[in-house]
Amino acid sequence: MTPLSWIYMGIVWTIILTLNVFCFYHIFKKKKDVSDDTDAQE
């Protein structure tokens, strides 16, 4: 592979990993907030 291919592959993997972390963070944060709201209503 050429150096440009390695750079492109690195950028793409960085974007993929960043999106995964962002989505999982919001999923777990949302579930925690929902449980907090449920506790507050009882």
Side-chain angles (χ1 to χ4, degrees):
M1 285 178 36
T2 65
L4 188 59
S5 300
W6 282 103
I7 293 169
Y8 177 73
M9 186 176 68
I11 291 170
V12 170
W13 274 102
T14 301
I15 292 169
I16 292 169
L17 291 173
T18 303
L19 282 172
N20 277 317
V21 170
F22 177 79
C23 290
F24 276 113
Y25 173 75
H26 282 281
I27 289 169
F28 290 123
K29 183 180 175 189
K30 185 178 289 186
K31 284 188 177 182
K32 184 178 179 184
D33 290 344
V34 169
S35 65
D36 289 345
D37 292 344
T38 304
D39 293 340
Q41 291 174 354
E42 292 179 0

Short mmCIF file of all heavy atoms in Angstrom, two decimals:
data_model
loop_
_atom_site.label_atom_id
_atom_site.label_comp_id
_atom_site.label_asym_id
_atom_site.label_seq_id
_atom_site.Cartn_x
_atom_site.Cartn_y
_atom_site.Cartn_z
N MET A 1 0.84 -1.19 0.00
CA MET A 1 0.00 0.00 0.00
C MET A 1 0.88 1.25 0.00
O MET A 1 1.96 1.25 0.58
CB MET A 1 -0.90 0.01 1.24
CG MET A 1 -2.06 -0.97 1.14
SD MET A 1 -3.16 -1.10 2.59
CE MET A 1 -3.26 0.51 3.22
N THR A 2 0.37 2.27 -0.59
CA THR A 2 1.13 3.52 -0.65
C THR A 2 0.93 4.29 0.66
O THR A 2 -0.03 4.04 1.40
CB THR A 2 0.65 4.40 -1.83
OG1 THR A 2 -0.70 4.78 -1.59
CG2 THR A 2 0.72 3.63 -3.14
N PRO A 3 1.82 5.23 0.94
CA PRO A 3 1.65 6.04 2.17
C PRO A 3 0.31 6.77 2.21
O PRO A 3 -0.30 6.89 3.28
CB PRO A 3 2.81 7.04 2.10
CG PRO A 3 3.86 6.33 1.30
CD PRO A 3 3.10 5.51 0.28
N LEU A 4 -0.16 7.23 1.06
CA LEU A 4 -1.46 7.91 1.03
C LEU A 4 -2.59 6.95 1.41
O LEU A 4 -3.53 7.34 2.11
CB LEU A 4 -1.71 8.50 -0.37
CG LEU A 4 -2.93 9.40 -0.50
CD1 LEU A 4 -2.81 10.59 0.44
CD2 LEU A 4 -3.08 9.87 -1.94
N SER A 5 -2.48 5.69 1.01
CA SER A 5 -3.49 4.69 1.38
C SER A 5 -3.51 4.47 2.89
O SER A 5 -4.58 4.34 3.48
CB SER A 5 -3.21 3.37 0.67
OG SER A 5 -3.24 3.53 -0.72
N TRP A 6 -2.33 4.41 3.50
CA TRP A 6 -2.25 4.23 4.95
C TRP A 6 -2.86 5.42 5.68
O TRP A 6 -3.57 5.25 6.69
CB TRP A 6 -0.80 4.04 5.40
CG TRP A 6 -0.30 2.66 5.12
CD1 TRP A 6 0.52 2.28 4.12
CD2 TRP A 6 -0.61 1.48 5.86
NE1 TRP A 6 0.76 0.93 4.19
CE2 TRP A 6 0.08 0.40 5.24
CE3 TRP A 6 -1.39 1.21 6.98
CZ2 TRP A 6 0.00 -0.90 5.71
CZ3 TRP A 6 -1.46 -0.10 7.46
CH2 TRP A 6 -0.78 -1.12 6.82
N ILE A 7 -2.60 6.62 5.19
CA ILE A 7 -3.18 7.82 5.80
C ILE A 7 -4.70 7.79 5.69
O ILE A 7 -5.41 8.05 6.66
CB ILE A 7 -2.59 9.09 5.16
CG1 ILE A 7 -1.10 9.20 5.51
CG2 ILE A 7 -3.34 10.33 5.60
CD1 ILE A 7 -0.37 10.28 4.71
N TYR A 8 -5.19 7.46 4.51
CA TYR A 8 -6.65 7.38 4.30
C TYR A 8 -7.27 6.33 5.22
O TYR A 8 -8.30 6.57 5.85
CB TYR A 8 -6.95 7.06 2.84
CG TYR A 8 -8.41 6.88 2.55
CD1 TYR A 8 -9.26 7.97 2.52
CD2 TYR A 8 -8.95 5.61 2.33
CE1 TYR A 8 -10.62 7.80 2.26
CE2 TYR A 8 -10.29 5.44 2.08
CZ TYR A 8 -11.12 6.54 2.05
OH TYR A 8 -12.46 6.37 1.81
N MET A 9 -6.64 5.16 5.31
CA MET A 9 -7.15 4.10 6.16
C MET A 9 -7.15 4.54 7.63
O MET A 9 -8.11 4.28 8.37
CB MET A 9 -6.30 2.83 6.00
CG MET A 9 -6.87 1.64 6.74
SD MET A 9 -5.94 0.12 6.47
CE MET A 9 -4.43 0.50 7.31
N GLY A 10 -6.11 5.23 8.05
CA GLY A 10 -6.05 5.73 9.42
C GLY A 10 -7.15 6.73 9.72
O GLY A 10 -7.77 6.69 10.78
N ILE A 11 -7.42 7.63 8.77
CA ILE A 11 -8.48 8.61 8.95
C ILE A 11 -9.84 7.93 9.04
O ILE A 11 -10.66 8.25 9.91
CB ILE A 11 -8.46 9.65 7.80
CG1 ILE A 11 -7.21 10.52 7.92
CG2 ILE A 11 -9.70 10.50 7.82
CD1 ILE A 11 -6.95 11.41 6.72
N VAL A 12 -10.08 6.97 8.16
CA VAL A 12 -11.37 6.26 8.15
C VAL A 12 -11.56 5.50 9.47
O VAL A 12 -12.64 5.57 10.08
CB VAL A 12 -11.45 5.31 6.94
CG1 VAL A 12 -12.66 4.40 7.06
CG2 VAL A 12 -11.52 6.11 5.65
N TRP A 13 -10.54 4.79 9.93
CA TRP A 13 -10.66 4.05 11.19
C TRP A 13 -10.85 4.99 12.38
O TRP A 13 -11.59 4.68 13.32
CB TRP A 13 -9.45 3.15 11.42
CG TRP A 13 -9.63 1.84 10.74
CD1 TRP A 13 -9.09 1.44 9.56
CD2 TRP A 13 -10.45 0.75 11.18
NE1 TRP A 13 -9.52 0.18 9.25
CE2 TRP A 13 -10.35 -0.27 10.23
CE3 TRP A 13 -11.27 0.55 12.30
CZ2 TRP A 13 -11.03 -1.48 10.36
CZ3 TRP A 13 -11.95 -0.66 12.42
CH2 TRP A 13 -11.82 -1.65 11.45
N THR A 14 -10.21 6.14 12.33
CA THR A 14 -10.39 7.12 13.41
C THR A 14 -11.83 7.60 13.46
O THR A 14 -12.43 7.71 14.54
CB THR A 14 -9.44 8.32 13.20
OG1 THR A 14 -8.09 7.83 13.18
CG2 THR A 14 -9.59 9.33 14.31
N ILE A 15 -12.41 7.87 12.29
CA ILE A 15 -13.81 8.31 12.23
C ILE A 15 -14.73 7.22 12.75
O ILE A 15 -15.65 7.47 13.54
CB ILE A 15 -14.19 8.72 10.79
CG1 ILE A 15 -13.44 9.99 10.39
CG2 ILE A 15 -15.69 8.91 10.66
CD1 ILE A 15 -13.55 10.32 8.92
N ILE A 16 -14.50 5.97 12.33
CA ILE A 16 -15.34 4.85 12.77
C ILE A 16 -15.28 4.69 14.29
O ILE A 16 -16.31 4.57 14.96
CB ILE A 16 -14.92 3.55 12.06
CG1 ILE A 16 -15.25 3.63 10.58
CG2 ILE A 16 -15.58 2.34 12.71
CD1 ILE A 16 -14.64 2.51 9.75
N LEU A 17 -14.07 4.69 14.84
CA LEU A 17 -13.92 4.51 16.29
C LEU A 17 -14.53 5.68 17.06
O LEU A 17 -15.16 5.48 18.11
CB LEU A 17 -12.44 4.35 16.65
CG LEU A 17 -11.81 3.04 16.17
CD1 LEU A 17 -10.32 3.06 16.43
CD2 LEU A 17 -12.45 1.85 16.86
N THR A 18 -14.36 6.90 16.54
CA THR A 18 -14.94 8.06 17.20
C THR A 18 -16.46 7.98 17.23
O THR A 18 -17.08 8.27 18.26
CB THR A 18 -14.48 9.35 16.49
OG1 THR A 18 -13.05 9.39 16.46
CG2 THR A 18 -15.01 10.59 17.20
N LEU A 19 -17.06 7.58 16.12
CA LEU A 19 -18.53 7.44 16.08
C LEU A 19 -19.00 6.36 17.06
O LEU A 19 -20.03 6.53 17.72
CB LEU A 19 -19.00 7.11 14.67
CG LEU A 19 -19.05 8.30 13.70
CD1 LEU A 19 -19.35 7.80 12.29
CD2 LEU A 19 -20.09 9.29 14.14
N ASN A 20 -18.26 5.25 17.13
CA ASN A 20 -18.63 4.19 18.08
C ASN A 20 -18.59 4.69 19.52
O ASN A 20 -19.53 4.46 20.29
CB ASN A 20 -17.69 2.99 17.93
CG ASN A 20 -18.11 2.08 16.81
OD1 ASN A 20 -19.28 1.79 16.66
ND2 ASN A 20 -17.16 1.62 16.04
N VAL A 21 -17.52 5.37 19.88
CA VAL A 21 -17.40 5.89 21.24
C VAL A 21 -18.51 6.90 21.52
O VAL A 21 -19.14 6.87 22.58
CB VAL A 21 -16.01 6.54 21.45
CG1 VAL A 21 -15.95 7.29 22.76
CG2 VAL A 21 -14.93 5.46 21.40
N PHE A 22 -18.78 7.79 20.57
CA PHE A 22 -19.82 8.81 20.73
C PHE A 22 -21.19 8.15 20.95
O PHE A 22 -21.92 8.51 21.87
CB PHE A 22 -19.84 9.70 19.48
CG PHE A 22 -20.92 10.74 19.49
CD1 PHE A 22 -20.77 11.90 20.22
CD2 PHE A 22 -22.08 10.56 18.75
CE1 PHE A 22 -21.75 12.88 20.22
CE2 PHE A 22 -23.07 11.53 18.74
CZ PHE A 22 -22.90 12.68 19.48
N CYS A 23 -21.51 7.16 20.11
CA CYS A 23 -22.82 6.51 20.21
C CYS A 23 -22.96 5.72 21.51
O CYS A 23 -23.98 5.82 22.18
CB CYS A 23 -23.05 5.61 19.00
SG CYS A 23 -23.30 6.52 17.47
N PHE A 24 -21.93 4.94 21.86
CA PHE A 24 -22.02 4.16 23.09
C PHE A 24 -22.10 5.08 24.31
O PHE A 24 -22.83 4.80 25.25
CB PHE A 24 -20.83 3.20 23.23
CG PHE A 24 -21.04 1.92 22.48
CD1 PHE A 24 -20.25 1.60 21.38
CD2 PHE A 24 -22.02 1.03 22.87
CE1 PHE A 24 -20.43 0.43 20.69
CE2 PHE A 24 -22.22 -0.17 22.18
CZ PHE A 24 -21.42 -0.46 21.10
N TYR A 25 -21.38 6.19 24.28
CA TYR A 25 -21.44 7.14 25.39
C TYR A 25 -22.87 7.65 25.57
O TYR A 25 -23.39 7.69 26.68
CB TYR A 25 -20.48 8.30 25.14
CG TYR A 25 -20.59 9.41 26.15
CD1 TYR A 25 -20.06 9.26 27.43
CD2 TYR A 25 -21.23 10.60 25.83
CE1 TYR A 25 -20.17 10.27 28.37
CE2 TYR A 25 -21.35 11.61 26.76
CZ TYR A 25 -20.82 11.45 28.02
OH TYR A 25 -20.95 12.45 28.94
N HIS A 26 -23.51 8.02 24.48
CA HIS A 26 -24.86 8.56 24.57
C HIS A 26 -25.88 7.47 24.92
O HIS A 26 -26.86 7.75 25.62
CB HIS A 26 -25.25 9.27 23.27
CG HIS A 26 -24.65 10.63 23.17
ND1 HIS A 26 -25.17 11.71 23.83
CD2 HIS A 26 -23.56 11.09 22.52
CE1 HIS A 26 -24.43 12.77 23.58
NE2 HIS A 26 -23.45 12.42 22.78
N ILE A 27 -25.67 6.25 24.46
CA ILE A 27 -26.58 5.15 24.82
C ILE A 27 -26.53 4.91 26.33
O ILE A 27 -27.56 4.85 27.00
CB ILE A 27 -26.22 3.86 24.06
CG1 ILE A 27 -26.60 4.01 22.59
CG2 ILE A 27 -26.91 2.65 24.69
CD1 ILE A 27 -26.05 2.90 21.71
N PHE A 28 -25.32 4.78 26.89
CA PHE A 28 -25.21 4.50 28.32
C PHE A 28 -25.61 5.71 29.15
O PHE A 28 -26.18 5.57 30.23
CB PHE A 28 -23.79 4.05 28.67
CG PHE A 28 -23.47 2.68 28.13
CD1 PHE A 28 -22.39 2.48 27.28
CD2 PHE A 28 -24.27 1.59 28.45
CE1 PHE A 28 -22.11 1.22 26.78
CE2 PHE A 28 -23.99 0.33 27.96
CZ PHE A 28 -22.91 0.15 27.12
N LYS A 29 -25.32 6.91 28.68
CA LYS A 29 -25.74 8.11 29.40
C LYS A 29 -27.26 8.22 29.43
O LYS A 29 -27.85 8.53 30.44
CB LYS A 29 -25.14 9.35 28.72
CG LYS A 29 -25.46 10.63 29.42
CD LYS A 29 -24.85 11.81 28.70
CE LYS A 29 -25.29 13.10 29.37
NZ LYS A 29 -24.91 14.27 28.59
N LYS A 30 -27.91 7.91 28.30
CA LYS A 30 -29.37 7.98 28.22
C LYS A 30 -30.00 6.95 29.15
O LYS A 30 -30.94 7.26 29.86
CB LYS A 30 -29.83 7.73 26.78
CG LYS A 30 -31.33 7.90 26.60
CD LYS A 30 -31.73 7.71 25.16
CE LYS A 30 -31.25 8.87 24.33
NZ LYS A 30 -31.74 8.80 22.94
N LYS A 31 -29.47 5.73 29.20
CA LYS A 31 -30.04 4.71 30.09
C LYS A 31 -29.88 5.14 31.55
O LYS A 31 -30.78 4.94 32.35
CB LYS A 31 -29.34 3.37 29.87
CG LYS A 31 -29.79 2.68 28.61
CD LYS A 31 -29.23 1.28 28.52
CE LYS A 31 -29.75 0.59 27.29
NZ LYS A 31 -29.27 -0.79 27.17
N LYS A 32 -28.76 5.74 31.90
CA LYS A 32 -28.56 6.20 33.27
C LYS A 32 -29.56 7.30 33.60
O LYS A 32 -30.15 7.32 34.66
CB LYS A 32 -27.14 6.70 33.46
CG LYS A 32 -26.83 7.11 34.88
CD LYS A 32 -25.38 7.54 35.02
CE LYS A 32 -25.10 7.97 36.46
NZ LYS A 32 -23.76 8.48 36.62
N ASP A 33 -29.77 8.24 32.68
CA ASP A 33 -30.72 9.33 32.90
C ASP A 33 -32.14 8.79 33.05
O ASP A 33 -32.90 9.28 33.87
CB ASP A 33 -30.67 10.35 31.75
CG ASP A 33 -29.37 11.14 31.76
OD1 ASP A 33 -28.68 11.11 32.80
OD2 ASP A 33 -29.05 11.78 30.75
N VAL A 34 -32.51 7.78 32.26
CA VAL A 34 -33.85 7.21 32.35
C VAL A 34 -34.07 6.58 33.72
O VAL A 34 -35.10 6.77 34.33
CB VAL A 34 -34.07 6.16 31.22
CG1 VAL A 34 -35.35 5.38 31.46
CG2 VAL A 34 -34.12 6.86 29.87
N SER A 35 -33.09 5.85 34.23
CA SER A 35 -33.24 5.23 35.54
C SER A 35 -33.32 6.30 36.62
O SER A 35 -34.07 6.17 37.59
CB SER A 35 -32.09 4.27 35.83
OG SER A 35 -30.87 4.97 35.93
N ASP A 36 -32.59 7.40 36.46
CA ASP A 36 -32.68 8.49 37.43
C ASP A 36 -34.07 9.11 37.40
O ASP A 36 -34.62 9.43 38.43
CB ASP A 36 -31.62 9.57 37.12
CG ASP A 36 -30.22 9.09 37.42
OD1 ASP A 36 -30.09 8.06 38.12
OD2 ASP A 36 -29.25 9.73 36.97
N ASP A 37 -34.65 9.29 36.21
CA ASP A 37 -35.98 9.86 36.09
C ASP A 37 -37.02 8.93 36.72
O ASP A 37 -37.95 9.37 37.38
CB ASP A 37 -36.35 10.12 34.63
CG ASP A 37 -35.52 11.23 34.02
OD1 ASP A 37 -34.89 11.99 34.81
OD2 ASP A 37 -35.46 11.33 32.78
N THR A 38 -36.85 7.63 36.52
CA THR A 38 -37.78 6.65 37.09
C THR A 38 -37.74 6.70 38.62
O THR A 38 -38.77 6.68 39.28
CB THR A 38 -37.44 5.22 36.61
OG1 THR A 38 -37.45 5.22 35.19
CG2 THR A 38 -38.45 4.23 37.12
N ASP A 39 -36.54 6.80 39.18
CA ASP A 39 -36.41 6.88 40.63
C ASP A 39 -37.06 8.15 41.16
O ASP A 39 -37.65 8.16 42.24
CB ASP A 39 -34.94 6.84 41.05
CG ASP A 39 -34.32 5.49 40.75
OD1 ASP A 39 -35.08 4.51 40.59
OD2 ASP A 39 -33.08 5.41 40.68
N ALA A 40 -36.96 9.23 40.42
CA ALA A 40 -37.51 10.51 40.87
C ALA A 40 -39.04 10.48 40.86
O ALA A 40 -39.67 11.15 41.68
CB ALA A 40 -36.99 11.65 39.99
N GLN A 41 -39.65 9.70 39.95
CA GLN A 41 -41.10 9.69 39.85
C GLN A 41 -41.75 8.84 40.94
O GLN A 41 -42.89 9.07 41.30
CB GLN A 41 -41.52 9.16 38.47
CG GLN A 41 -41.19 10.10 37.34
CD GLN A 41 -41.47 9.48 35.99
OE1 GLN A 41 -41.82 8.30 35.90
NE2 GLN A 41 -41.32 10.24 34.93
N GLU A 42 -41.04 7.88 41.49
CA GLU A 42 -41.64 6.99 42.48
C GLU A 42 -41.77 7.62 43.84
O GLU A 42 -41.13 8.47 44.26
CB GLU A 42 -40.81 5.71 42.59
CG GLU A 42 -40.90 4.89 41.34
CD GLU A 42 -40.05 3.64 41.44
OE1 GLU A 42 -39.39 3.42 42.48
OE2 GLU A 42 -40.03 2.88 40.49
#
